Amino acid sequence: MPSTRKVRVYRFIEKTALAVFVVWSGGLAVLFALDRIAGHELLAGIGVDIFILLLILVIQQTIDSWLVMSFSQSDLTQKDVFESLYERSPVGYLTLDTKGRVVNVNPSAVNLLQGSMDSFAGVNFYNFIKDEGEVDLEVLERKVEAGLTVNDMEVPMETIAGNYIWVMVSVSPYRNSGERLVSLIDITEKKNIDTAKSEFVALATHQLRTPIAAIRWNVELLERSLKTIKTESQTRYLAKIERNVLRMINLINDFLSVSKLEMGTYAAEAVSLDLSEFFESVVDEFVEKINEKQIALDRHEVPAHAVINTDSRLIHIIVSNLMSNAVKYSKTNGQLTFSYQLSGSSLQIVVADDGIGIPEGELDKLFTKFYRASNAQSHQTEGTGLGLYIVKQSVEQLGGGITVQSGEDKGARFVVTLPVSVVSA
Ligand code: ATP
Ligand code: MG
């Protein structure tokens, strides 16, 4: 491998040759245009040009082959390559000991956390995390200590300069068992955009409520004033308008709740709820579709008429979305099971169908925003891929969990478990 100096000399010759080539060609063209050189002199000039070009090519080839050599018979060890990446990476990296104390830091991390190299000595990494219920710090600490991998955790942090930022944190064991490598990616802007989007949805849906309420009110007035004289088809049209206005009101309220959940401003409102009555009304929303597809509905409610204290809007979002999916992805003559079981203060709701199912490899992405499984897309059923995302947000807001069992053409079974306060069982 030639020395760096030799490479630089060759690069210099290459650049000089290029400059000579440009000046020489330009001069030749001007002289020829002014008729100051004869044909054979022009040919000689072009010959010189070709020579310079060849020279440049040879120099470039030589330098390239040196570079290839330098990588293959590397005198750079893997460690050197890694350290050079660590130093120059646009991603922030920190090396921690098992207790989270900073051992090493790269310039990007220093930049991101707005400090200087010295300001990290002996500092505990967890001190940067602003714990506002967003992160389970204890779980993170335990995972880091045990040498487990943490992937893409979105964490709010306070920089050394006192600014509030959002960072995507990943942690993996590093070099020896006593060190952990932490990567930090700044996602503050993305989070700000997400918040702006949620605020926009909240604002837009909020403003939509007034005109829709006016439509509903006027449809009711029209219905009353036409009470005796309306024809059969007018009655049908009015009923259709009313049903769809109600659907729209529900949708708007759901969107509003979701944007509030995302912004962390959702205020839960517990009311007492007779489970059987409540679920009856939710199932009722889908009765037309169920009849149309001739789906057999199987309901098990244990115990019947249990009353609990909970946020009815969130439960409505959860059950109506699961039911809507079960009906939508069922085949004609399919089977749909809806059941709940209240044991102690734990409520388990099951919505299962024997429809098109979800390919097993896609189950882990099911609850992400806008995700639609490949088979659902090819069946061309309508959908935005927001339903299950909204369900998950609502389940988490209630402190519960949701699981799914499915496979392509094997139906789907969703189980929601919620902690509830029981009024009477
Ligand atoms: P929408 O936002 O209108 O509800 P969607 O139904 O497509 O649209 P989700 O409810 O979030 O969206 O569901 C996401 C995806 O999960 C669906 O597109 C479908 O692929 C799959 N899925 C959900 N429930 C079922 C089910 N019961 N059977 C089969 N696939 C399902
Ligand atoms: Mg859906």
Side-chain angles (χ1 to χ4, degrees):
M1 166 67 194
S3 66
T4 342
R5 195 156 165 268
K6 205 166 163 190
V7 175
R8 264 200 234 126
V9 170
Y10 269 65
R11 283 263 186 241
F12 177 74
I13 299 174
E14 181 198 359
K15 280 185 190 139
T16 314
L18 200 64
V20 171
F21 173 76
V22 171
V23 173
W24 182 263
S25 310
L28 214 57
V30 172
L31 288 177
F32 184 68
L34 296 175
D35 241 357
R36 301 284 281 276
I37 49 171
H40 68 277
E41 285 170 325
L42 178 69
L43 274 180
I46 292 174
V48 174
D49 254 353
I50 293 173
F51 173 75
I52 300 175
L53 265 181
L54 284 175
L55 182 67
I56 293 172
L57 265 173
V58 169
I59 294 173
Q60 280 180 346
Q61 290 285 331
T62 316
I63 296 176
D64 282 354
S65 64
W66 284 347
L67 288 179
V68 170
M69 231 166 66
S70 79
F71 279 110
S72 56
Q73 314 165 349
S74 182
D75 58 347
L76 289 173
T77 62
Q78 264 197 349
K79 186 167 162 269
D80 291 331
V81 172
F82 179 79
E83 273 172 10
S84 135
L85 280 175
Y86 185 89
E87 283 304 311
R88 291 183 204 180
S89 167
V91 174
Y93 284 113
L94 291 166
T95 316
L96 307 180
D97 66 13
T98 52
K99 296 285 172 211
R101 280 180 297 251
V102 178
V103 177
N104 200 338
V105 57
N106 81 341
S108 295
V110 173
N111 225 348
L112 178 64
L113 295 168
Q114 302 171 332
S116 60
M117 283 286 181
D118 308 335
S119 48
F120 287 87
V123 169
N124 194 306
F125 170 67
Y126 305 120
N127 291 348
F128 290 108
I129 298 180
K130 260 195 106 171
D131 188 14
E132 285 178 347
E134 305 270 359
V135 193
D136 198 334
L137 203 56
E138 229 182 282
V139 171
L140 180 66
E141 282 177 44
R142 261 189 269 133
K143 278 189 172 173
V144 170
E145 192 168 356
L148 300 176
T149 306
V150 176
N151 282 325
D152 301 342
M153 191 174 187
E154 296 189 348
V155 178
M157 288 191 174
E158 189 175 346
T159 66
I160 293 172
N163 292 318
Y164 189 68
I165 57 172
W166 274 92
V167 181
M168 186 134 81
V169 175
S170 300
V171 188
S172 51
Y174 172 54
R175 289 206 289 231
N176 56 50
S177 57
E179 287 180 6
R180 311 283 179 255
L181 182 67
V182 182
S183 72
L184 306 171
I185 298 173
D186 188 1
I187 52 163
T188 315
E189 204 166 317
K190 172 183 160 286
K191 278 280 177 186
N192 288 343
I193 293 172
D194 280 353
T195 312
K197 270 193 302 195
S198 298
E199 281 172 2
F200 172 75
V201 173
L203 197 77
T205 44
H206 187 267
Q207 292 309 99
L208 279 174
R209 285 211 289 197
T210 320
I212 289 176
I215 298 176
R216 186 185 177 190
W217 179 234
N218 281 288
V219 171
E220 267 178 32
L221 285 179
L222 187 64
E223 204 172 4
R224 263 187 247 160
S225 61
L226 292 178
K227 198 156 196 153
T228 49
I229 51 167
K230 61 184 184 237
T231 64
E232 202 181 303
S233 51
Q234 281 170 339
T235 313
R236 238 187 13 252
Y237 297 149
L238 278 173
K240 229 177 192 170
I241 296 176
E242 207 170 1
R243 217 172 36 242
N244 280 294
V245 166
L246 273 179
R247 260 185 73 194
M248 208 169 346
I249 290 174
N250 278 336
L251 274 177
I252 285 174
N253 286 336
D254 284 358
F255 279 141
L256 202 54
S257 305
V258 171
S259 54
K260 282 182 183 166
L261 285 176
E262 284 188 328
M263 291 187 292
T265 57
Y266 184 87
E269 239 178 81
V271 291
S272 61
L273 213 67
D274 179 315
L275 286 174
S276 300
E277 271 176 28
F278 179 74
F279 290 138
E280 177 76 34
S281 73
V282 182
V283 171
D284 244 18
E285 293 172 28
F286 301 97
V287 87
E288 271 180 32
K289 267 267 145 50
I290 291 175
N291 291 341
E292 195 182 296
K293 283 180 119 173
Q294 298 180 323
I295 295 169
L297 176 64
D298 196 9
R299 282 174 67 179
H300 301 278
E301 299 177 355
V302 185
H305 293 291
V307 180
I308 61 164
N309 244 332
T310 188
D311 187 301
S312 64
R313 175 156 297 286
L314 293 181
I315 302 259
H316 181 264
I317 291 178
I318 297 166
V319 180
S320 64
N321 273 294
L322 294 179
M323 279 294 289
S324 142
N325 285 345
V327 174
K328 183 156 70 172
Y329 301 112
S330 274
K331 297 171 182 164
T332 310
N333 291 319
Q335 171 85 33
L336 197 165
T337 308
F338 174 83
S339 70
Y340 76 72
Q341 174 151 24
L342 183 67
S343 358
S345 57
S346 169
L347 174 68
Q348 190 179 67
I349 303 169
V350 178
V351 181
D353 63 78
D354 61 351
I356 65 169
I358 301 133
E360 260 170 74
E362 299 182 36
L363 285 175
D364 55 335
K365 294 177 237 147
L366 213 59
F367 296 97
T368 47
K369 233 181 203 175
F370 302 117
Y371 189 78
R372 303 201 69 218
S374 49
N375 59 336
Q377 290 181 39
S378 57
H379 273 73
Q380 295 191 328
T381 35
E382 269 180 41
T384 53
L386 274 177
L388 287 182
Y389 168 75
I390 298 175
V391 169
K392 182 122 198 277
Q393 297 272 323
S394 309
V395 170
E396 281 172 0
Q397 175 76 22
L398 289 171
I402 179 165
T403 57
V404 54
Q405 282 173 341
S406 188
E408 192 154 7
D409 279 321
K410 288 187 191 151
R413 180 183 160 87
F414 289 85
V415 180
V416 175
T417 313
L418 301 171
V420 290
S421 113
V422 181
V423 178
S424 74

